[in-house]
Amino acid sequence: MVEMAESKEAVFAEVEMGVSTGTRSVRATVVQASTIFYDTPATLDKAERLIVEAASLGSQLVVFPEAFLGGYPRGNTFGVVIGSRTPKGKEDFRKYHASAIDVPGPEVERLAALAGRYKMSIVMGCIERDGGTLYCTVLFFDAGGEYLGKHRKLMPTASERLIWGFGDGSTLPVFDTSVGKLGAVICWENRMPLLRTAMYGKGIELYCAPTADARGSWQASMLHIALEGGCFVLSANQFCRRRDYPPSPEYIYGGFGEAEPGPEEVVCAGGSVIISPTGTVLAGPNFDGEALITADLDMADIVRAKFDFDVVGHYARPDVLSLTVRDQAVQPVTYTSDLLSPYGRKDMLDM
């Protein structure tokens, strides 16, 4: 296990590694660090420093928190009450929109290059900009330096629905990579049993759970998923103090009653953790500060766990219970000219 203490510029390692023999092992790191809010270039620079540090530990996989690029706008109401939005709230959204990234785009290209340079699979939480709509998204990169694809959060939670759009079934990937079958489910999506089952059905082995939930109850969910899915669970959360967000009145932080939290007050305590398919906590949970949380994953533990319980295998009852996943992209606007061949009829080969 590797955990690193908080530092202003770097995260320093105290290494205490377990040894795995006779089976394939993957060294994985979950990042617990804060966004530099409204400064995506600086946040991307910070991500690169953390990737370099994870590479120095020999990590083959690094998982970043939910909304790391672009930021999780904790405490911001965006000036919304039922029936109206304030001018300041609209300006807050404009600045948040400007901090998001395009997919594909230059930030995606830079992350792909980093993955190739350090021979590392990267899972990155971001805010994706698509026209006027934002999505809470996870990006995937393989150790060969290739951008693999993305997952958009299907169901934003509570007030998140004011600022983020809804994903659809077309971005529920599980990628067969050099480290294993890799996928992600974001924050409270992990409470959706049918979504989890869709991921299990794709054979997920490295179940990444970027989150913004630092409560103790989150740990119970992560442990349950590891046992239920027979997979490694890697949950990454930000560790944030009030000073990691812009000061008031530029950024008004709600949710703490009438008084804003003080600059040093912790507003997200982390809790990043790595759990094995047998329910063993391999690293974390860390509630102490920014950290790199690292463990060696014995991939044979997956088969050992499935011997006891395979939720979409010998423990399934498809004659009684089954799941259908609608995994086609859903478009709000379709143009008939896109469906016509040069001969003026639908070309069924392209549909």
Side-chain angles (χ1 to χ4, degrees):
M1 175 176 113
V2 179
E3 295 199 18
M4 298 201 250
E6 183 179 7
S7 167
K8 291 182 179 179
E9 294 298 332
V11 182
F12 300 98
E14 294 179 3
V15 179
E16 185 181 317
M17 284 291 179
V19 177
S20 175
T21 58
T23 60
R24 185 170 69 88
S25 180
V26 171
R27 185 164 292 184
T29 292
V30 294
V31 170
Q32 181 163 289
S34 64
T35 298
I36 302 172
F37 212 83
Y38 288 153
D39 195 341
T40 298
T43 304
L44 192 54
D45 288 343
K46 181 175 183 176
E48 180 168 355
R49 292 195 299 271
L50 294 166
I51 289 167
V52 171
E53 290 183 55
S56 73
L57 300 172
S59 296
Q60 299 156 273
L61 168 65
V62 62
V63 181
F64 281 81
E66 178 181 13
F68 186 74
L69 293 180
Y72 188 85
R74 189 177 298 276
N76 194 337
T77 67
F78 290 87
V80 174
V81 296
I82 293 174
S84 69
R85 295 169 174 83
T86 66
K88 184 183 185 313
K90 292 181 179 182
E91 176 61 13
D92 286 349
F93 183 79
R94 185 202 63 77
K95 290 192 289 186
Y96 189 51
H97 184 275
S99 299
I101 68 171
D102 296 318
V103 181
E107 294 84 3
V108 176
E109 293 172 3
R110 181 174 172 183
L111 288 166
L114 288 169
R117 184 181 310 155
Y118 295 102
K119 310 301 181 197
M120 181 188 298
S121 295
I122 297 173
V123 178
M124 175 60 72
C126 74
I127 301 304
E128 177 193 0
R129 180 176 53 225
D130 188 353
T133 298
L134 302 179
Y135 296 92
C136 183
T137 297
V138 170
L139 308 177
F140 299 88
F141 305 86
D142 71 7
E146 181 182 0
Y147 165 62
L148 298 175
K150 66 187 178 186
H151 165 57
R152 285 177 171 173
K153 195 172 190 177
L154 274 177
M155 179 52 65
T157 298
S159 295
E160 293 173 356
R161 298 172 200 170
L162 298 170
I163 55 170
W164 297 339
F166 292 47
D168 63 28
S170 68
T171 66
L172 302 176
V174 171
F175 297 104
D176 196 356
T177 72
S178 59
V179 292
K181 293 181 179 178
L182 181 65
V185 180
I186 306 169
C187 205
W188 277 19
E189 286 187 319
N190 286 280
R191 293 186 170 194
M192 300 170 68
L194 299 184
L195 177 54
R196 297 198 307 268
T197 303
M199 304 304 281
Y200 303 150
K202 292 189 174 187
I204 191 167
E205 297 173 328
L206 299 163
Y207 185 114
C208 300
T211 188
D213 190 343
R215 295 173 303 170
S217 58
W218 179 253
Q219 304 301 318
S221 291
M222 297 300 95
L223 177 60
H224 172 77
I225 290 168
L227 291 169
E228 178 182 68
C231 51
F232 288 96
V233 171
L234 303 98
S235 181
N237 193 7
Q238 298 192 31
F239 182 92
C240 304
R241 301 182 189 274
R242 174 62 182 91
R243 60 174 162 81
D244 292 315
Y245 291 85
S248 183
E250 179 185 3
Y251 191 103
I252 297 174
Y253 200 104
F256 278 72
E258 293 183 4
E260 278 212 349
E264 297 304 314
E265 190 162 349
V266 174
V267 296
C268 184
S272 301
V273 68
I274 301 175
I275 304 176
S276 81
T278 60
T280 301
V281 177
L282 301 177
N286 183 303
F287 295 99
D288 299 327
E290 292 202 339
L292 297 185
I293 298 154
T294 299
D296 285 336
L297 315 183
D298 180 355
M299 299 301 285
D301 276 347
I302 295 171
V303 176
R304 296 183 184 111
K306 300 278 190 182
F307 178 59
D308 290 338
F309 184 86
D310 187 352
V311 67
V312 291
H314 64 77
Y315 227 92
R317 285 294 306 274
D319 55 322
V320 179
L321 304 167
S322 62
L323 171 66
T324 299
V325 180
R326 297 174 180 84
D327 58 357
Q328 299 90 355
V330 179
Q331 301 296 335
V333 180
T334 301
Y335 296 95
T336 58
S337 59
D338 295 335
L339 304 176
L340 297 177
S341 75
Y343 302 100
R345 59 178 179 81
K346 290 184 177 180
D347 188 344
M348 299 303 294
L349 295 177
D350 292 333
M351 295 183 65

